């Protein structure tokens, strides 16, 4: 028996919004430690890794490890039927071929349940090596989304250059050139507005705007985003989900021909 | 001209 309950459907809606543009389907691996999903996008350029800890749920029960392959478009349709404040419960029997998603209004007067067929997805799991990143940047998630959106107008690619002075995002194309520099913030009253750079050595990497913009669909989940970079390895874009877990996107860099 | 690399080049199958 698997049962996981969250106080607010809005969190699950936001999580789905954050992954459904990159992935058509995904396997939710459930164990007593929580729920994990790892999948590459169709082009195998990026990897999505979602972790939801069992202690972040209002109720969590997982008697046996369970892998639930789900069509994320179908799941999005079901979640559209929930009000943001509804309780949401995901339930499945052991070895079941369906999952039940139940919504309850705060006053318990409306209860709806939706059944969805599970899929047997033959998704490969990739081992992500421990990496000592040369630069780790923490910045407001909205600012990062704005920069990615703005620079996508100029080029398919954005160059991210991180030094101890700050982080620079650049793009150039037919229209011209664009450079956005962010300096590390000095004294900040609000932690969520801070730009913090931890640099071991400077790094310059090039990434596809299209994927960065897809990652920023996670912006409603978190006030801050963390970018981890190292020469010649994938960028990690991490959004923490308050008291529940995180979503990490890995993006392969663009390399010299 | 820069080419897009694959995430598979960096992570190995488990």
């Amino acid at each position: 028996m698997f049962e996981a309950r969250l106080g607010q459907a809005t969190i699950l809606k936001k999580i789905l919004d954050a992954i459904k543009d990159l992935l058509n389907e995904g396997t939710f691996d459930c164990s007593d430690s929580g729920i994990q999903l790892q999948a590459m996008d169709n082009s195998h350029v990026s990897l999505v890794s979602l972790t939801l800890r069992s202690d972040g749920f209002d109720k969590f029960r997982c008697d046996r490890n369970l892998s639930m392959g789900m069509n994320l478009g179908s799941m999005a349709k079901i979640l559209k039927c929930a009000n943001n404040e509804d309780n949401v419960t995901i339930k499945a029997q052991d070895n079941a071929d369906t999952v039940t998603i139940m919504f309850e209004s705060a006053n318990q007067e409306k209860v709806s349940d939706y059944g969805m067929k599970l899929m047997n997805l033959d998704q490969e799991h990739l081992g992500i090596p421990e990496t000592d990143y040369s630069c780790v940047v923490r910045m407001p998630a909205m600012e990062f989304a704005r920069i990615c959106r703005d620079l996508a107008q100029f080029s398919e690619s954005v160059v991210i250059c991180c030094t101890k002075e700050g982080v620079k995002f650049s793009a150039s194309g037919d229209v011209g050139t664009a450079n956005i520099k962010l300096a590390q913030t000095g004294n900040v009253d609000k932690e969520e507005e801070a730009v913090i750079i931890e640099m071991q050595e400077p790094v310059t990497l090039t990434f596809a705007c299209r994927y960065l913009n897809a990652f920023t669909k996670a912006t409603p989940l978190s006030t801050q985003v963390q970018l981890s970079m190292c020469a010649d390895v994938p960028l990690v874009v991490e959004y923490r989900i308050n008291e529940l877990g995180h979503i990490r996107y890995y993006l392969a860099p663009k390399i010299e021909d | 001209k820069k080419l897009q690399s694959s995430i598979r080049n960096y992570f190995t199958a488990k």
Side-chain angles (χ1 to χ4, degrees):
Chain A
M1 173 81 183
F2 170 77
E3 189 173 345
R5 179 186 160 102
L6 277 173
Q8 288 198 317
T10 181
I11 297 172
L12 205 54
K13 286 186 182 206
K14 286 176 186 173
I15 290 170
L16 210 71
D17 283 343
I19 61 176
K20 72 174 168 43
D21 287 1
L22 283 166
L23 311 173
N24 297 325
E25 59 243 339
T27 301
F28 291 80
D29 293 311
C30 309
S31 69
D32 57 9
S33 62
I35 301 176
Q36 280 221 306
L37 174 146
Q38 192 209 74
M40 283 183 282
D41 72 275
N42 285 339
S43 329
H44 297 168
V45 169
S46 68
L47 179 98
V48 179
S49 174
L50 169 73
T51 298
L52 305 175
R53 293 187 312 268
S54 53
D55 60 18
F57 288 82
D58 289 1
K59 181 180 176 186
F60 194 92
R61 174 180 165 187
C62 184
D63 301 338
R64 285 179 56 181
N65 289 1
L66 181 71
S67 290
M68 298 193 289
M70 295 193 204
N71 179 306
L72 300 180
S74 305
M75 197 178 178
K77 283 182 187 171
I78 292 173
L79 286 174
K80 259 192 197 160
C81 305
N83 285 316
N84 285 343
E85 308 75 31
D86 285 354
N87 281 308
V88 54
T89 304
I90 305 169
K91 265 199 256 191
Q93 299 295 328
D94 293 341
N95 302 316
D97 56 4
T98 59
V99 61
T100 300
I101 301 177
M102 191 169 87
F103 307 124
E104 292 169 278
S105 63
N107 59 13
Q108 306 267 316
E109 283 172 4
K110 180 178 173 188
V111 178
S112 36
D113 67 84
Y114 299 84
M116 183 172 69
K117 271 206 182 116
L118 293 174
M119 307 163 80
N120 221 337
L121 300 172
D122 193 20
Q123 282 183 332
E124 59 179 307
H125 272 249
L126 297 179
I128 300 164
E130 281 284 315
T131 306
D132 234 347
Y133 288 97
S134 308
C135 295
V136 177
V137 179
R138 286 189 61 74
M139 61 186 284
M142 296 260 279
E143 185 66 82
F144 180 61
R146 176 71 202 255
I147 290 169
C148 293
R149 192 189 76 190
D150 289 350
L151 293 187
Q153 301 185 101
F154 297 89
S155 171
E156 288 177 4
S157 307
V158 56
V159 179
I160 306 178
C161 172
C162 187
T163 64
K164 63 179 186 311
E165 280 78 38
V167 58
K168 184 172 81 169
F169 300 85
S170 309
S172 66
D174 297 341
V175 175
T177 59
N179 291 292
I180 303 169
K181 284 183 231 169
L182 291 182
Q184 182 155 214
T185 39
N187 283 334
V188 277
D189 295 338
K190 295 177 187 162
E191 203 182 318
E192 63 265 27
E193 288 172 8
V195 176
I196 297 160
I197 298 165
E198 285 168 31
M199 191 206 74
Q200 311 300 324
E201 48 185 317
V203 62
T204 301
L205 286 162
T206 305
F207 299 102
C209 287
R210 210 183 116 212
Y211 291 93
L212 295 175
N213 272 307
F215 304 163
T216 63
K217 295 289 187 314
T219 305
L221 285 167
S222 197
T223 54
Q224 285 251 316
V225 61
Q226 181 170 298
L227 313 178
S228 303
M229 288 168 284
C230 196
D232 305 318
V233 306
L235 163 76
V236 192
V237 180
E238 178 180 323
Y239 294 85
R240 290 187 192 154
I241 309 168
N242 195 27
E243 293 181 348
L244 185 60
H246 59 253
I247 181 160
R248 289 187 187 135
Y249 302 95
Y250 296 85
L251 178 59
K254 287 195 160 188
I255 51 176
E256 290 300 334
D257 192 353
Chain B
K1 172 103 179 131
K2 289 192 177 244
L3 292 179
Q4 178 62 63
S5 55
S6 164
I7 199 80
R8 272 225 186 87
N9 298 347
Y10 304 92
F11 300 152
T12 46
K14 261 205 256 190

